[in-house]
Amino acid sequence: MSEIAANISVDSRESIDSQDEVLPSAMTVALVQLALACGGFGIGTGEFAIMGLLPNVAETFSVTTPQAGYVISAYALGVVVGAPVIAVLAAKMARRTLLLTLMLIFAAGNISSAMAPTFESFTLLRFVSGLPHGAYFGVAALVAASMVPAHRRARAVGRVMLGLTVATLLGTPLTTFFGQSLDWQVAFFSVGVLGLLTVALIWFYVPKDRVSAEAGFLRELGAFRRPQVWLTLGIAAVGYGGMFAMFSYIASTTTEVAMLPETAVPIMLVLFGVGMNAGNFIGSWLADKSLLGTIGGSLLYNIVVLTTFSLTAANPYLLGLSVFLVGCGFAAGPALQTRLMDVAADAQTLAAASNHSAFNIANAIGAWLGGLVIAGGYGFAATGYVGAALSFLGLFVFAASLRLERRDRSAQAV
């Protein structure tokens, strides 16, 4: 494992012009991480704001709330499709150039979403807006990890993902509040502006890089020849759908199960955001200590807190506590991203980008299964049970990954 990490560190360092044999200064690293995190903030705000505005979207387009939930799945499908396709097609593109291109597409997609005339066009534009998501986070994680020592990679990745978690704490609640008070279209226009701001920050602060002579789509596709890559992606896709099953319908759970007013929805979003930030901070620190321990522990944790969510959703105070605790389950995010860096060898971009495809498969599965349970008459609170079941299934994928790793180590020792 240490040999793989060393190879990754060397390969990544070769992609930064200003780096050569020496890691950049702390100030340079901080500015790069700030620029990359700003993009994460915009993406996170755009991804999660819709979850608090589903009833408003449903009313505008005269559809039911579960039907409006299809736009969440459309965005997630865009991430799933966009991440591997973009990673392969852009294999010979400089990472800085790719980041700029991705954020321009993201900005255009969200501004267009704000002007969509029909539910069908809005759904299509959410799909387009999701296309750059996975590739952006994957490439941003690689850039951030390449600028720090190997034993601090997970924390560097965590700082980039901090933009995503801060979005759930500030961006999503604010856009939800203004979307409810003014017009939900304002939320997506604001997200588009954040995308344009990120373009400017990346232009000024992210250093230009060289493309490796060996880079190409065939090398990137090599990631999918490695079983551990598939298993790691499977853990994310199956094991973490539960968080999305719950969060996709948090607005209706708050108003129809806990019987709170609509103004309480942003409060629940803030609590979820606080939990995600706490999970990101603690999880990235733990991941630098034990990657596999952090991943496995978070799956067990999710089973408990998602079950508790369903049991306590009718109580406003316990609902708020459960929402916070479910948010803390994001602790696995930096760990899974770093794990992919370890198992992907030289196919870094595709593997890193595919992590967010996997999480958005989880998003789509969670929103879809949650909608089925609700439509089946089990109520909004039952989405927690769906989430616990998905986390339980994720443990089986995790166990398969552990078994393969032990077998490979035994074979190497012979």
Side-chain angles (χ1 to χ4, degrees), residues 209-227:
D209 56 295
R210 297 189 302 267
V211 179
S212 171
E214 292 78 24
F217 71 92
L218 290 178
R219 187 173 82 167
E220 293 298 332
L221 287 173
F224 291 146
R225 293 198 299 267
R226 299 178 175 87

Side-chain angles (χ1 to χ4, degrees), residues 122-141:
F122 180 64
T123 303
L124 176 61
L125 287 166
R126 295 317 298 153
F127 171 80
V128 172
S129 299
L131 291 174
H133 178 130
Y136 176 83
F137 274 114
V139 175

Side-chain angles (χ1 to χ4, degrees), residues 148-227:
V148 298
H151 66 280
R152 294 182 181 175
R153 288 177 303 143
R155 276 167 282 187
V157 172
R159 291 188 190 101
V160 172
M161 298 181 76
L162 187 64
L164 175 64
T165 57
V166 170
T168 63
L169 178 60
L170 296 177
T172 301
L174 285 174
T175 52
T176 300
F177 173 77
F178 287 111
Q180 291 173 344
S181 303
L182 302 173
D183 199 333
W184 61 262
Q185 286 92 339
V186 172
F188 294 102
F189 183 81
S190 301
V191 169
V193 172
L194 285 172
L196 295 177
L197 173 62
T198 302
V199 170
L201 291 174
I202 292 173
W203 180 270
F204 284 112
Y205 295 130
V206 175
K208 294 181 179 180
D209 56 295
R210 297 189 302 267
V211 179
S212 171
E214 292 78 24
F217 71 92
L218 290 178
R219 187 173 82 167
E220 293 298 332
L221 287 173
F224 291 146
R225 293 198 299 267
R226 299 178 175 87

Side-chain angles (χ1 to χ4, degrees), residues 24-39:
S25 68
M27 179 60 72
T28 299
V29 171
L31 289 173
V32 169
Q33 290 176 353
L34 173 63
L36 298 176
C38 182

